[in-house]
Amino acid sequence: MTPAAPRLAPLPVREWGETTRAMFRGHVKSADRYLTGEPDAPPMPGILGVLAHHTELASAWLAYNGLLLERPTVDPRERELVILRVAWRSESDYEWAQHVRTATALGVTAEQIEAVRYGPQAAVWSPVQRALLAMTDQLLDRHRVDDATWTQLERYFDSRQLIELLFVAGSYLCLAMVFNSVALQPDPEQEERS
């Protein structure tokens, strides 16, 4: 559960320096829409406001995460199942809400999103989806994938994709820890984790 008040509030855009604004423009496609300061500008996503507290780290993170999201080797729907499982298991309301929207836009069904809560044993999963969720649980529980699950994953993914999947799970666990620790509040258009 997200506490009612943030420990570290997102830095308002009006307080961003030119270095932060330039970094943001270099990494976020729709940056200018957020940075206009106009009354009809979309609200800045909370994660970007939190990252604005540390421009150099934000630049490195956005470049790295952009690779995972914009040039994936893994089907984005499969990536989103991993991220949703991390978000659910880590109780990250912010990450859950963000990625329910992303997954839905990619065609992940409401039934599948609901089943993420129950993990790999849910009846809705294909063998590859079951393996992805088992991988995620094993990484969260034991910080490694067991031999049986790894063998199953090798049936569906090449070495490059396997590395990417491990990084997706680890990266979004890192983000969940940040979100939970700073008590990042849901963005206005996000729904609460239920």
Side-chain angles (χ1 to χ4, degrees), residues 132-173:
L132 287 168
L133 293 169
M135 172 202 79
T136 306
D137 283 354
Q138 291 165 17
L139 288 169
L140 294 170
D141 293 339
R142 297 187 294 276
H143 309 115
R144 73 180 305 273
V145 179
D146 70 24
D147 291 339
T149 301
W150 188 263
T151 298
Q152 183 76 0
L153 289 167
E154 285 181 314
R155 294 181 185 158
Y156 305 104
F157 303 103
D158 63 28
S159 59
R160 189 169 178 219
Q161 292 171 316
L162 289 167
I163 290 294
E164 186 172 309
L165 286 166
L166 296 172
F167 271 91
V168 165
S171 299
Y172 281 87
L173 176 59

Coordinates of all heavy atoms in Angstrom, one line a residue, residues 132-173:
L132 N 7.5 -17.7 -17.8 CA 7.9 -16.4 -17.5 C 7.5 -16.0 -16.0 O 8.3 -15.3 -15.3 CB 7.3 -15.4 -18.5 CG 7.8 -15.4 -19.9 CD1 6.9 -14.6 -20.8 CD2 9.3 -14.8 -19.9
L133 N 6.3 -16.3 -15.6 CA 5.9 -16.0 -14.3 C 6.6 -16.8 -13.2 O 7.0 -16.3 -12.2 CB 4.4 -16.2 -14.2 CG 3.6 -15.2 -15.0 CD1 2.1 -15.6 -15.1 CD2 3.8 -13.8 -14.5
A134 N 6.9 -18.1 -13.6 CA 7.8 -18.9 -12.6 C 9.2 -18.3 -12.5 O 9.7 -18.2 -11.4 CB 7.8 -20.3 -13.1
M135 N 9.7 -17.9 -13.6 CA 11.0 -17.2 -13.6 C 11.0 -16.0 -12.7 O 11.9 -15.8 -11.8 CB 11.4 -16.8 -15.0 CG 12.7 -15.9 -15.1 SD 12.8 -14.9 -16.6 CE 11.7 -13.5 -16.1
T136 N 10.0 -15.2 -12.8 CA 9.9 -14.0 -12.0 C 9.8 -14.3 -10.6 O 10.5 -13.7 -9.7 CB 8.7 -13.1 -12.5 OG1 8.8 -12.9 -13.9 CG2 8.6 -11.8 -11.8
D137 N 8.9 -15.2 -10.2 CA 8.8 -15.6 -8.8 C 10.1 -16.1 -8.2 O 10.5 -15.8 -7.1 CB 7.7 -16.6 -8.6 CG 6.3 -16.0 -8.7 OD1 6.2 -14.8 -8.7 OD2 5.3 -16.8 -8.7
Q138 N 10.8 -17.0 -9.0 CA 12.1 -17.5 -8.6 C 13.1 -16.4 -8.4 O 13.9 -16.4 -7.4 CB 12.6 -18.6 -9.5 CG 11.7 -19.8 -9.5 CD 12.0 -20.7 -10.7 OE1 13.0 -20.6 -11.4 NE2 11.0 -21.6 -10.9
L139 N 13.2 -15.4 -9.3 CA 14.1 -14.3 -9.1 C 13.8 -13.5 -7.8 O 14.7 -13.1 -7.1 CB 14.1 -13.4 -10.3 CG 14.7 -14.0 -11.6 CD1 14.4 -13.2 -12.8 CD2 16.2 -14.2 -11.4
L140 N 12.5 -13.3 -7.6 CA 12.1 -12.5 -6.4 C 12.3 -13.3 -5.1 O 12.7 -12.8 -4.1 CB 10.6 -12.1 -6.5 CG 10.3 -11.2 -7.6 CD1 8.8 -11.0 -7.8 CD2 10.9 -9.8 -7.4
D141 N 12.1 -14.6 -5.2 CA 12.3 -15.5 -3.9 C 13.7 -15.9 -3.7 O 14.1 -15.9 -2.5 CB 11.4 -16.7 -4.1 CG 9.9 -16.4 -4.1 OD1 9.5 -15.3 -3.6 OD2 9.1 -17.2 -4.6
R142 N 14.4 -16.3 -4.7 CA 15.7 -16.9 -4.5 C 16.9 -16.3 -5.3 O 18.0 -16.7 -5.2 CB 15.7 -18.4 -4.9 CG 14.7 -19.2 -4.1 CD 14.7 -20.7 -4.3 NE 14.3 -21.1 -5.6 CZ 13.0 -21.3 -6.0 NH1 12.1 -21.1 -5.1 NH2 12.7 -21.7 -7.2
H143 N 16.5 -15.2 -6.0 CA 17.5 -14.4 -6.8 C 18.2 -15.3 -7.9 O 19.3 -14.9 -8.3 CB 18.5 -13.7 -5.9 CG 17.8 -13.0 -4.8 ND1 17.9 -13.3 -3.5 CD2 17.0 -11.9 -4.8 CE1 17.2 -12.5 -2.7 NE2 16.6 -11.7 -3.6
R144 N 17.6 -16.3 -8.3 CA 18.1 -17.1 -9.4 C 16.9 -17.9 -10.0 O 16.0 -18.2 -9.3 CB 19.2 -18.0 -9.0 CG 18.9 -19.2 -8.2 CD 20.1 -20.1 -7.8 NE 20.9 -20.5 -8.9 CZ 20.6 -21.6 -9.6 NH1 19.6 -22.4 -9.3 NH2 21.4 -22.0 -10.6
V145 N 17.1 -18.3 -11.3 CA 16.1 -19.2 -11.9 C 16.5 -20.6 -11.8 O 17.7 -20.9 -12.0 CB 16.0 -18.8 -13.4 CG1 15.0 -19.7 -14.1 CG2 15.6 -17.3 -13.6
D146 N 15.6 -21.5 -11.4 CA 16.0 -22.9 -11.2 C 16.2 -23.6 -12.6 O 15.9 -23.0 -13.6 CB 15.1 -23.7 -10.3 CG 13.7 -23.9 -11.0 OD1 13.5 -23.9 -12.2 OD2 12.7 -24.1 -10.2
D147 N 16.9 -24.7 -12.6 CA 17.2 -25.4 -13.8 C 16.0 -25.8 -14.7 O 16.1 -25.7 -15.9 CB 18.1 -26.7 -13.5 CG 19.4 -26.4 -12.9 OD1 19.9 -25.2 -13.2 OD2 20.0 -27.2 -12.3
A148 N 15.0 -26.3 -14.0 CA 13.8 -26.7 -14.8 C 13.1 -25.5 -15.5 O 12.8 -25.7 -16.7 CB 12.8 -27.4 -13.8
T149 N 13.0 -24.4 -14.8 CA 12.4 -23.2 -15.5 C 13.3 -22.7 -16.6 O 12.9 -22.3 -17.6 CB 12.1 -22.2 -14.4 OG1 11.2 -22.7 -13.4 CG2 11.5 -20.9 -15.0
W150 N 14.6 -22.7 -16.3 CA 15.6 -22.2 -17.3 C 15.5 -23.1 -18.6 O 15.4 -22.5 -19.7 CB 17.0 -22.2 -16.8 CG 18.0 -21.6 -17.7 CD1 18.8 -22.2 -18.6 CD2 18.2 -20.2 -17.8 NE1 19.5 -21.3 -19.3 CE2 19.2 -20.0 -18.8 CE3 17.7 -19.0 -17.2 CZ2 19.7 -18.8 -19.2 CZ3 18.2 -17.8 -17.6 CH2 19.2 -17.7 -18.6
T151 N 15.4 -24.4 -18.4 CA 15.3 -25.3 -19.6 C 14.0 -25.0 -20.3 O 14.0 -24.9 -21.6 CB 15.3 -26.7 -19.1 OG1 16.6 -27.0 -18.5 CG2 15.1 -27.7 -20.2
Q152 N 12.9 -24.7 -19.6 CA 11.6 -24.4 -20.2 C 11.8 -23.0 -21.0 O 11.3 -22.9 -22.1 CB 10.5 -24.3 -19.2 CG 9.2 -24.0 -19.7 CD 8.5 -25.2 -20.3 OE1 9.1 -26.3 -20.4 NE2 7.3 -25.0 -20.8
L153 N 12.4 -22.1 -20.4 CA 12.6 -20.8 -21.1 C 13.4 -20.9 -22.3 O 13.2 -20.2 -23.3 CB 13.2 -19.7 -20.1 CG 12.3 -19.3 -19.0 CD1 13.2 -18.5 -17.9 CD2 11.2 -18.4 -19.5
E154 N 14.4 -21.7 -22.3 CA 15.3 -21.9 -23.5 C 14.5 -22.5 -24.7 O 15.0 -22.3 -25.8 CB 16.4 -22.9 -23.1 CG 17.5 -22.2 -22.3 CD 18.7 -23.2 -22.0 OE1 18.4 -24.3 -21.6 OE2 19.8 -22.7 -22.2
R155 N 13.4 -23.1 -24.5 CA 12.5 -23.6 -25.6 C 11.9 -22.4 -26.4 O 11.6 -22.6 -27.5 CB 11.4 -24.4 -25.1 CG 11.9 -25.7 -24.5 CD 10.7 -26.6 -24.0 NE 11.2 -27.7 -23.3 CZ 10.6 -28.5 -22.5 NH1 9.3 -28.1 -22.1 NH2 11.1 -29.5 -21.9
Y156 N 11.8 -21.3 -25.7 CA 11.1 -20.1 -26.3 C 11.9 -18.9 -26.6 O 11.5 -18.1 -27.4 CB 9.9 -19.7 -25.4 CG 9.0 -20.8 -25.0 CD1 9.0 -21.4 -23.8 CD2 8.1 -21.3 -26.0 CE1 8.1 -22.5 -23.5 CE2 7.2 -22.3 -25.7 CZ 7.3 -22.9 -24.4 OH 6.4 -23.9 -24.1
F157 N 13.1 -18.8 -25.9 CA 13.9 -17.6 -26.0 C 15.3 -17.9 -26.3 O 15.9 -18.9 -25.8 CB 13.8 -16.8 -24.7 CG 12.4 -16.4 -24.3 CD1 11.7 -17.1 -23.3 CD2 11.7 -15.4 -25.0 CE1 10.4 -16.8 -23.0 CE2 10.4 -15.0 -24.6 CZ 9.8 -15.8 -23.6
D158 N 16.0 -17.0 -27.1 CA 17.4 -17.2 -27.4 C 18.2 -16.5 -26.3 O 17.6 -15.9 -25.3 CB 17.8 -16.7 -28.8 CG 17.5 -15.2 -28.9 OD1 17.6 -14.4 -27.9 OD2 17.3 -14.7 -30.1
S159 N 19.5 -16.6 -26.3 CA 20.3 -16.1 -25.2 C 20.1 -14.6 -25.0 O 20.1 -14.1 -23.9 CB 21.8 -16.4 -25.5 OG 22.2 -15.9 -26.7
R160 N 20.0 -13.9 -26.1 CA 19.8 -12.4 -25.9 C 18.5 -12.1 -25.2 O 18.4 -11.2 -24.4 CB 19.8 -11.8 -27.3 CG 19.9 -10.3 -27.4 CD 20.2 -9.8 -28.8 NE 20.1 -8.3 -28.7 CZ 19.7 -7.6 -29.7 NH1 19.2 -8.2 -30.8 NH2 19.7 -6.3 -29.6
Q161 N 17.5 -12.8 -25.6 CA 16.2 -12.6 -25.0 C 16.2 -13.0 -23.5 O 15.6 -12.4 -22.6 CB 15.1 -13.4 -25.7 CG 14.8 -12.8 -27.1 CD 13.9 -13.7 -27.9 OE1 14.1 -14.9 -27.9 NE2 13.0 -13.1 -28.6
L162 N 16.9 -14.1 -23.2 CA 17.0 -14.6 -21.8 C 17.6 -13.5 -20.9 O 17.1 -13.2 -19.8 CB 17.7 -15.9 -21.7 CG 17.0 -17.1 -22.3 CD1 17.9 -18.3 -22.4 CD2 15.8 -17.4 -21.4
I163 N 18.7 -12.9 -21.4 CA 19.4 -11.9 -20.7 C 18.4 -10.7 -20.5 O 18.3 -10.1 -19.4 CB 20.7 -11.4 -21.4 CG1 21.7 -12.5 -21.3 CG2 21.2 -10.1 -20.8 CD1 22.3 -12.8 -19.9
E164 N 17.7 -10.3 -21.5 CA 16.8 -9.2 -21.5 C 15.7 -9.5 -20.4 O 15.4 -8.6 -19.6 CB 16.2 -8.9 -22.8 CG 15.3 -7.7 -22.8 CD 14.8 -7.4 -24.3 OE1 15.7 -7.3 -25.2 OE2 13.6 -7.2 -24.4
L165 N 15.2 -10.7 -20.4 CA 14.1 -11.0 -19.4 C 14.6 -10.9 -18.0 O 13.9 -10.4 -17.1 CB 13.6 -12.4 -19.7 CG 12.7 -12.5 -20.9 CD1 12.5 -14.0 -21.3 CD2 11.4 -11.8 -20.6
L166 N 15.9 -11.3 -17.7 CA 16.4 -11.2 -16.4 C 16.6 -9.7 -16.0 O 16.3 -9.3 -14.9 CB 17.8 -11.9 -16.3 CG 17.8 -13.4 -16.6 CD1 19.2 -14.0 -16.6 CD2 17.0 -14.1 -15.5
F167 N 17.0 -8.9 -17.0 CA 17.2 -7.5 -16.7 C 15.9 -6.8 -16.5 O 15.7 -5.9 -15.7 CB 18.0 -6.8 -17.8 CG 19.5 -6.8 -17.5 CD1 20.3 -7.9 -17.9 CD2 20.1 -5.8 -16.7 CE1 21.6 -7.9 -17.7 CE2 21.4 -5.8 -16.5 CZ 22.2 -6.9 -16.9
V168 N 14.8 -7.2 -17.2 CA 13.5 -6.6 -17.0 C 13.0 -6.9 -15.6 O 12.6 -6.0 -14.9 CB 12.5 -7.2 -18.1 CG1 11.1 -6.8 -17.7 CG2 12.8 -6.6 -19.5
A169 N 13.1 -8.1 -15.2 CA 12.7 -8.4 -13.8 C 13.5 -7.7 -12.8 O 12.9 -7.0 -11.9 CB 12.8 -9.9 -13.6
G170 N 14.8 -7.7 -12.9 CA 15.6 -6.9 -11.9 C 15.4 -5.4 -12.0 O 15.4 -4.8 -10.9
S171 N 15.3 -4.9 -13.2 CA 15.1 -3.4 -13.3 C 13.8 -3.0 -12.7 O 13.8 -1.9 -12.0 CB 15.2 -3.1 -14.8 OG 16.4 -3.4 -15.3
Y172 N 12.8 -3.7 -12.9 CA 11.5 -3.3 -12.4 C 11.3 -3.6 -10.9 O 10.6 -2.9 -10.2 CB 10.3 -3.8 -13.3 CG 10.2 -2.9 -14.5 CD1 11.0 -3.2 -15.6 CD2 9.4 -1.8 -14.5 CE1 10.9 -2.3 -16.7 CE2 9.4 -0.9 -15.5 CZ 10.2 -1.2 -16.7 OH 10.1 -0.3 -17.7
L173 N 12.1 -4.5 -10.4 CA 12.2 -4.7 -8.9 C 12.9 -3.5 -8.4 O 12.4 -2.9 -7.3 CB 12.9 -6.0 -8.6 CG 13.1 -6.1 -7.0 CD1 11.7 -6.1 -6.3 CD2 13.9 -7.4 -6.8

